[in-house]
Amino acid sequence: MANKMWGGRFGRKPDPLMERINVSIEFDRKLYRQDIAASKAHATMLAKSGIVTAQDELTRRIIVDVCFWQKMG
């Protein structure tokens, strides 16, 4: 695969698990907006159910995901 997530930053070959994860990166890149929307909807449901608060860790993770995919964009 030509466009690896780790961009050749390391001297050794990546673990086979990372190779398997990286296979879907182009597909993931195309669907990141939908993935983020689904994550927000899930976090909203959890908050309405009283399982998490609006300032929960899930909110932070969604923001991190948005920043990552916008950078990859």
Side-chain angles (χ1 to χ4, degrees):
M1 175 172 284
N3 186 15
K4 297 196 182 257
M5 287 177 11
W6 51 88
R9 293 181 185 96
F10 305 104
R12 294 184 344 196
K13 186 175 179 173
D15 185 275
L17 175 62
M18 285 305 299
E19 291 282 355
R20 290 194 313 266
I21 290 171
N22 195 56
V23 168
S24 70
I25 195 69
E26 291 303 318
F27 184 75
D28 296 339
R29 184 178 286 159
K30 292 176 184 175
L31 293 176
Y32 82 91
R33 287 180 183 90
Q34 292 82 2
D35 190 28
I36 292 166
S39 294
K40 287 179 179 178
H42 186 222
T44 299
M45 179 276 300
L46 292 172
K48 287 182 178 180
S49 299
I51 297 170
V52 299
T53 66
Q55 299 302 311
D56 194 84
E57 180 69 9
L58 288 174
T59 303
R60 187 194 67 78
R61 288 182 185 180
I62 291 168
I63 292 167
V64 168
D65 287 347
V66 169
C67 293
F68 172 78
W69 287 110
Q70 285 177 341
K71 183 178 178 182
M72 295 290 288

